[in-house]
Amino acid sequence: MKLKAHDCVALLCPGSICTDPIHPQMTQDYLKEHYQLIASYPNDINQGISPLRRAQIFLSYLFDDNVKMIGALRGGEGTADILPYIHEHHEKIKSIKPKILLGHSDFTALLVYFEKYYHWPVIHGPSLRQFAQGVVDKKSEKETMDLVFGVNQDLCLKELTPLNDSARENKIIEAQITGGNLSVINVSIKDIWEIETDNKILFFEDCGEKAHVIIRTLKYFSRIGLFAKAKAIILGDFTCWPIGCDKTRQEINRQAILKILSSFANHHDLPVLYTPQFGHGKINFPLVYSKVYRLHLGNHAQLQLLHQVG
């Protein structure tokens, strides 16, 4: 599935409400002006509604043949709560053509679910609202929109830092990728949408978490065997929050996180790499589930998408 001018796009908040009533209209106007896309959103997007109602809104867009992409306006909390209601329509969803799903943060739950059950090429990337607000850089926006419009490009994440000896070896891994927000992935365990990691390149990011919380979650994943058959791990941005901290405190937090990520990597045999280029920060490189990537390890480590969306 690839977008074209005048396609319909749905904007929604499957978890937390849209706290600023200006954001939906702002995003709608931006998509129309810059990409000639027709965006719509539910009237109650700024109101607290039940998981069932949020699921019904999502499904109404999912089953609408005119809607080509569903994009998150924000993350927050609560997206996983709608998955049991969506899964009730499992057979019907299997029968429809894939749509583009785009978002990150709490939207991770939907991305992992649609990869797990339907193998859709869903995208972990910036929310559409962030384009309108200008809170992600133009390169991230261009990479994301080129991807959904199917523009030919060498979509390649080049600034990867090997964190352990396995990642420093000059070799190539080809595999699909999966992952997303670390805290959200954590609550997938034993749920219907539990992440499947065998033979995958895994990627994780998070925001607002202290170093000890991040390493605790990563060590838990190790203990339960989540990494046992994975091909590699790419750790993204964990350092752009907490909001409101002074620069000195932010730098202390950043250094603490980088230290525990390096320590984690050195306790594992599989390649572990780091990049600040995806997550909640100003740079948010889009990553496509259910598609094959080529991961080059060694001194010039990079991650290259081998097949475009569609």
Side-chain angles (χ1 to χ4, degrees):
M1 173 62 67
K2 299 170 184 176
L3 292 185
K4 59 183 184 300
H6 310 299
D7 273 347
C8 295
V9 174
L11 310 173
L12 48 75
C13 297
S16 299
I17 65 172
C18 187
T19 54
D20 192 327
I22 297 174
H23 287 166
Q25 184 64 52
M26 177 200 311
T27 307
Q28 185 182 57
D29 294 343
Y30 187 87
L31 293 175
K32 183 177 181 180
E33 178 182 354
H34 292 269
Y35 299 103
Q36 294 75 56
L37 293 173
I38 309 304
S40 63
Y41 54 90
N43 292 329
D44 50 6
I45 201 167
N46 301 105
Q47 303 172 19
I49 54 178
S50 69
L52 173 58
R53 178 61 187 139
R54 297 199 307 273
Q56 289 171 339
I57 292 170
F58 178 82
L59 289 167
S60 70
Y61 288 128
L62 195 71
F63 295 139
D64 185 342
D65 291 338
N66 292 318
V67 174
K68 306 303 181 184
M69 180 169 78
I70 299 175
L73 276 168
R74 65 158 299 176
E77 192 281 325
T79 300
D81 298 335
I82 75 174
L83 294 180
Y85 302 107
I86 292 172
H87 197 60
E88 291 175 2
H89 301 268
H90 176 55
E91 292 301 322
K92 185 175 180 181
I93 296 172
K94 286 197 300 184
S95 70
I96 66 175
K97 293 181 180 180
K99 295 184 189 294
I100 300 170
L101 305 183
L102 171 64
H104 67 287
S105 193
D106 196 56
F107 204 72
T108 293
L110 275 168
L111 300 176
V112 171
Y113 172 79
F114 273 85
E115 177 212 12
K116 178 184 178 82
Y117 287 100
Y118 315 108
H119 311 294
W120 283 17
V122 296
I123 303 170
H124 182 280
S127 70
L128 296 171
R129 170 184 58 84
Q130 291 179 310
F131 298 153
Q133 288 182 291
V135 296
V136 292
D137 68 350
K138 286 299 180 181
K139 182 179 179 183
S140 297
E141 178 176 342
K142 184 178 188 306
E143 288 167 336
T144 303
M145 297 309 287
D146 280 354
L147 185 63
V148 299
F149 276 98
V151 176
N152 287 330
Q153 60 172 336
D154 179 20
L155 191 63
C156 187
L157 180 56
K158 295 182 178 180
E159 297 181 20
L160 295 175
T161 302
L163 293 183
N164 59 5
D165 289 341
S166 295
R168 295 184 189 100
E169 295 179 12
N170 290 314
K171 65 178 183 179
I172 293 174
I173 295 171
E174 290 189 0
Q176 294 182 0
I177 65 171
T178 192
N181 183 265
L182 186 71
S183 299
V184 176
I185 296 295
N186 194 14
V187 301
S188 81
I189 307 303
K190 298 301 180 182
D191 207 334
I192 59 169
W193 58 284
E194 182 172 2
I195 191 171
E196 296 177 345
T197 60
D198 288 3
N199 301 310
K200 302 283 183 68
I201 298 168
L202 312 182
F203 69 94
F204 300 110
E205 56 81 25
D206 215 326
C207 71
E209 296 290 0
K210 295 181 179 179
H212 75 274
V213 176
I214 295 167
I215 193 62
R216 181 173 62 199
T217 304
L218 289 171
K219 289 193 294 185
Y220 167 62
F221 286 172
S222 296
R223 289 197 304 274
I224 65 174
L226 202 69
F227 307 141
K229 296 181 180 180
K231 295 289 189 180
I233 299 173
I234 302 176
L235 300 169
D237 180 31
F238 289 83
T239 62
C240 63
W241 279 11
I243 289 175
C245 290
D246 60 48
K247 291 184 178 181
T248 300
R249 181 61 182 169
Q250 287 179 2
E251 181 59 19
I252 292 172
N253 189 53
R254 188 183 76 85
Q255 292 296 334
I257 290 173
L258 291 177
K259 183 177 180 180
I260 61 100
L261 294 182
S262 295
S263 175
F264 164 78
N266 286 318
H267 283 85
H268 289 79
D269 293 329
L270 82 168
V272 182
L273 304 97
Y274 166 76
T275 178
Q277 294 188 93
F278 65 84
H280 284 70
K282 192 172 182 65
I283 301 173
N284 196 354
F285 185 86
L287 296 164
V288 188
Y289 301 67
S290 301
K291 293 291 183 180
V292 177
Y293 279 80
R294 178 176 292 150
L295 176 60
H296 296 260
L297 303 176
N299 293 331
H300 303 287
Q302 61 182 27
L303 182 71
Q304 180 184 11
L305 176 63
L306 296 185
H307 303 288
Q308 295 293 318
V309 175

